[in-house]
Amino acid sequence: MVQFLEKLGDQCLHLLEQLGRMGIFLFACLWCVVKPPYKIFPIIRQIHFIGSRSIFVIFFTGAFTGMVLGLQGYYTLRKFGSEGLLGSAVALSLIRELGPVVAALMVIGRAGSAICAEIGIMRNSEQIDALECMAIDPYKYLMAPKFVAGVLSMPLLTALFDVVGILGGWLIGVVLLGINEGTYFQAMYASVEWQDIKMGLVKSLVFGLLLIWIAAAKGYFLHFERGGGFGAEGVSRTTTDAVVLSSVAVLLWDYLISAIML
Amino acid sequence: MSDAPNDIVIELKDVHKAFGAQKVLRGVHLQVREGTTLVIVGASGQGKSVILKHMLGLVKPEQGEVLVFGRDLTRIRAREVKEIRTHFGVLFQNAALFDSMTVFDNVALPLRERTKVGEERIRASVMEKLDLMDLLGAEDKYPAQISGGMRKRVGLARALMLNPRVVFFDEPTTGLDVHKSNEIYRLFHRTQQQLKYTAVIVSHDVPKIFKLADTVALLAEGVIQGCMSPEEFQLAENPLIREFVETTMGPIYSSDKEESILYETL
Ligand SMILES: Nc1ncnc2c1ncn2[C@@H]1O[C@H](COP(=O)(O)OP(=O)(O)OP(=O)(O)O)[C@@H](O)[C@H]1O
Ligand SMILES: [Mg+2]
């Protein structure tokens, strides 16, 4: 019993320590984002990596999500005789929920894991120590461009996801299942409000920050990992942790933001 | 080289450090004077690299002080530590090159990030440093594509890039052939004459490294066994130093007979 309590306390302390470390990390990174000098080229490079190179996967997942929504929505709505509302159903669920969440999950899989592994390997092979000894701030040099790029890219990717998804729903609903095209888009115009778009925007901004934060911090603090973040295995384990943790965090925050903003 | 205390650049006072149960440093005292070269020697795994990391502020001691330019690295703010580090040039034992950048970009990084020099000037001074290290032709390769000795030399080129006031070299010539390491020693000698930097060098290359040293310190059993000029070091009374001197440069190689005895008893 005592042993159990001891273990529990130890775990809690570890968790608290980790949270505190990550909190300080976030503030240091954000401070470095606003602190001059500003360099544009590293940011563009990161946007290319996090943003542009995710377009393909976002395009596909967006299209299929929209198509599935169209299909499922059609048969569900038909039971109530209201197929005409399909446009509204597809658009609202994409803009409010699925767009930001699925896009974030895809970016976590693509860029989050890569960032965590990259930083983790740099930590492992003393490259971060070397940066510090050269009086180059790793927060400014490594982290700040990633944060800016993440926060800029996520809303754009989400918007792309939404648009492609709506077109996917159109393809199924209108072209395949024969809903009137005017009805599809009219329902959409009538029901989507600025409020909904704002919610999607807030979510995508928060998710962008969240996923870069968790991936970068996990990699940066690789050497503090439980059981030691050593070598290739340590990096791979930490990267997996980062992906799981940021996916869960995205879903958690999705709920919180919905609850606050609805 | 007066005795005025303000020309001490680095001073370790009673530094203790343990990793878990393993006590690595047990009260290290060390002083490095401005413009001189300190060579730290000692058996593998004694904690020489750990001492260097204390001086760089990468590792915090459990007890004791690490003074650099008179300021205690363990007590000052991160910004001041960074300011102090602008005067450092560091070569890590594993070179710690940025492995997703080319050799050229590695050496250029300090210039690009810390100065506002234009790209042309950067190119010129990087090429000059690479030439000095006999690395011309390798500038577009990645660290994984060059040999271990070349990596060391790239690390050296990077460390010397911004004309540091204090340099830290962890085994600068390990993995280099005799000719190259002689070349590097000559280079150290020449650049130190020019730039008057203070140097802390960890090396296993005894006795050759002694030619470069103003002071030699032996680390054994977690403490510095003696910090003295190379001449005094070779004649010191301390049994650990005697043993070190004898095994590294002593009578082992003086006769074939003794050597064969050594092998037989092994
Ligand atoms: N981060 C660390 N965690 C745990 N132990 C460490 C750590 N760094 C160093 N040590 C231990 O400290 C001791 C000294 O290591 P160090 O690298 O300083 O040796 P060294 O004198 O530089 O040896 P070499 O000449 O082989 O480079 C070793 O026994 C090592 O296991
Ligand atoms: Mg070492």
Side-chain angles (χ1 to χ4, degrees):
Chain A
M1 188 63 196
V2 174
Q3 229 175 14
F4 171 74
L5 280 180
E6 248 173 31
K7 246 197 182 137
L8 191 73
D10 190 44
Q11 286 288 342
C12 287
L13 278 183
H14 181 65
L15 194 71
L16 269 182
E17 199 185 317
Q18 210 172 7
L19 277 178
R21 209 157 40 217
M22 286 182 69
I24 295 171
F25 176 85
L26 181 64
F27 279 109
C29 290
L30 294 182
W31 170 237
C32 281
V33 168
V34 294
K35 189 175 71 174
Y38 309 110
K39 290 205 170 172
I40 198 74
F41 183 66
I43 296 180
I44 292 176
R45 258 188 58 171
Q46 290 299 326
I47 289 182
H48 173 68
F49 174 68
I50 299 172
S52 321
R53 294 177 66 177
S54 302
I55 285 180
F56 187 71
V57 61
I58 290 292
F59 190 88
F60 266 84
T61 46
F64 281 102
T65 310
M67 282 155 70
V68 166
L69 276 178
L71 206 60
Q72 296 278 12
Y74 179 80
Y75 287 107
T76 312
L77 288 170
R78 205 176 58 173
K79 282 186 199 158
F80 309 102
S82 44
E83 304 94 296
L85 291 177
L86 184 66
S88 149
V90 169
L92 280 183
S93 41
L94 275 174
I95 291 172
R96 280 197 195 160
E97 283 297 327
L98 288 174
V101 172
V102 179
L105 292 181
M106 289 336 272
V107 175
I108 288 172
R110 247 208 85 261
S113 57
I115 288 172
C116 181
E118 178 195 335
I119 309 264
I121 288 173
M122 291 188 78
R123 167 62 78 192
N124 237 341
S125 52
E126 294 184 315
Q127 292 175 50
I128 291 186
D129 291 340
L131 272 181
E132 283 181 348
C133 289
M134 290 156 86
I136 299 172
D137 188 351
Y139 289 102
K140 181 80 192 164
Y141 176 72
L142 286 176
M143 306 302 173
K146 291 188 168 57
F147 274 82
V148 175
V151 171
L152 286 182
S153 306
M154 265 320 286
L156 296 174
L157 291 173
T158 306
L160 177 73
F161 188 98
D162 291 346
V163 170
V164 175
I166 288 169
L167 291 180
W170 167 82
L171 186 73
I172 296 297
V174 177
V175 178
L176 223 64
L177 299 171
I179 299 178
N180 183 298
E181 179 158 7
T183 323
Y184 182 82
F185 284 109
Q186 191 51 48
M188 206 179 294
Y189 290 138
S191 59
V192 176
E193 285 171 23
W194 167 236
Q195 201 62 27
D196 304 314
I197 295 181
K198 199 169 79 183
M199 182 191 276
L201 189 68
V202 169
K203 279 184 181 174
S204 61
L205 287 172
V206 171
F207 295 166
L209 187 70
L210 209 57
L211 74 93
I212 303 287
W213 173 32
I214 292 177
K218 271 285 190 183
Y220 194 73
F221 297 120
L222 184 82
H223 53 310
F224 289 129
E225 283 293 314
R226 270 278 154 103
F230 300 117
E233 203 176 302
V235 173
S236 81
R237 189 148 24 92
T238 309
T239 307
T240 315
D241 281 2
V243 168
V244 172
L245 191 65
S246 37
S247 307
V248 172
V250 160
L251 293 173
L252 186 79
W253 275 90
D254 183 45
Y255 178 79
L256 287 178
I257 296 172
S258 301
I260 292 168
M261 290 186 71
L262 272 178
Chain B
M1 274 183 234
S2 72
D3 276 347
N6 60 357
D7 74 33
I8 291 174
V9 178
I10 299 173
E11 184 167 20
L12 268 63
K13 283 185 188 162
D14 194 31
V15 169
H16 288 253
K17 180 74 191 176
F19 292 104
Q22 181 195 8
K23 289 206 174 83
V24 179
L25 305 182
R26 311 171 194 205
V28 167
H29 294 268
L30 206 54
Q31 289 183 345
V32 190
R33 291 182 181 283
E34 173 118 49
T36 66
T37 301
L38 168 74
V39 170
I40 305 176
V41 295
S44 177
Q46 289 290 331
K48 303 181 297 295
S49 300
V50 172
I51 289 187
L52 229 51
K53 284 184 183 166
H54 277 92
M55 294 175 174
L56 296 168
L58 291 174
V59 176
K60 294 230 156 23
E62 270 121 39
Q63 188 190 324
E65 291 174 25
V66 182
L67 301 165
V68 179
F69 300 129
R71 282 181 284 176
D72 187 349
L73 284 188
T74 55
R75 302 239 164 71
I76 57 179
R77 297 154 64 87
R79 187 148 21 97
E80 288 174 77
V81 176
K82 188 177 164 201
E83 201 275 320
I84 288 178
R85 283 176 179 156
T86 57
H87 304 294
F88 286 179
V90 184
L91 170 71
F92 280 77
Q93 187 165 3
N94 67 0
L97 300 181
F98 302 110
D99 48 18
S100 42
M101 287 185 201
T102 61
V103 165
F104 181 90
D105 290 336
N106 261 286
V107 180
L109 188 75
L111 279 177
R112 286 190 179 140
E113 290 298 316
R114 293 235 318 259
T115 65
K116 294 198 164 54
V117 180
E119 203 56 30
E120 265 163 57
R121 290 258 312 278
I122 290 181
R123 176 140 209 107
S125 49
V126 170
M127 283 324 223
E128 184 203 319
K129 281 282 186 299
L130 288 179
D131 188 21
L132 217 57
M133 291 293 163
D134 196 15
L135 282 166
L136 284 185
E139 62 267 19
D140 291 327
K141 292 197 172 166
Y142 285 87
Q145 297 173 316
I146 58 178
S147 74
M150 286 163 89
R151 258 174 280 197
K152 272 270 147 76
R153 285 180 279 145
V154 175
L156 280 172
R158 188 176 71 178
L160 292 173
M161 205 60 216
L162 285 180
N163 297 341
R165 274 176 66 189
V166 191
V167 298
F168 301 87
F169 295 146
D170 201 341
E171 307 195 5
T173 55
T174 307
L176 297 184
D177 58 88
V178 178
H179 177 71
K180 285 261 165 37
S181 61
N182 287 343
E183 198 71 11
I184 296 281
Y185 290 143
R186 267 197 288 279
L187 177 81
F188 284 174
H189 191 70
R190 211 168 54 229
T191 46
Q192 188 165 25
Q193 299 243 303
Q194 273 169 17
L195 305 172
K196 310 255 179 268
Y197 56 63
T198 310
V200 181
I201 302 178
V202 171
S203 184
H204 288 295
D205 196 6
V206 180
K208 249 199 288 176
I209 192 76
F210 283 4
K211 291 214 190 80
L212 224 58
D214 294 302
T215 346
V216 177
L218 173 72
L219 177 70
E221 297 175 349
V223 288
I224 296 291
Q225 298 289 348
C227 194
M228 49 194 97
S229 74
E231 295 76 28
E232 286 168 341
F233 187 84
Q234 288 169 55
L235 303 171
E237 298 283 318
N238 181 319
L240 285 165
I241 299 183
R242 286 207 71 83
E243 197 191 319
F244 180 85
V245 169
E246 275 169 19
T247 47
T248 48
M249 45 210 268
I252 277 191
Y253 297 107
S254 61
S255 77
D256 291 338
K257 209 162 115 204
E258 223 175 314
E259 198 147 305
S260 63
I261 290 171
L262 181 78
Y263 289 135
E264 275 158 22
T265 51
L266 275 175

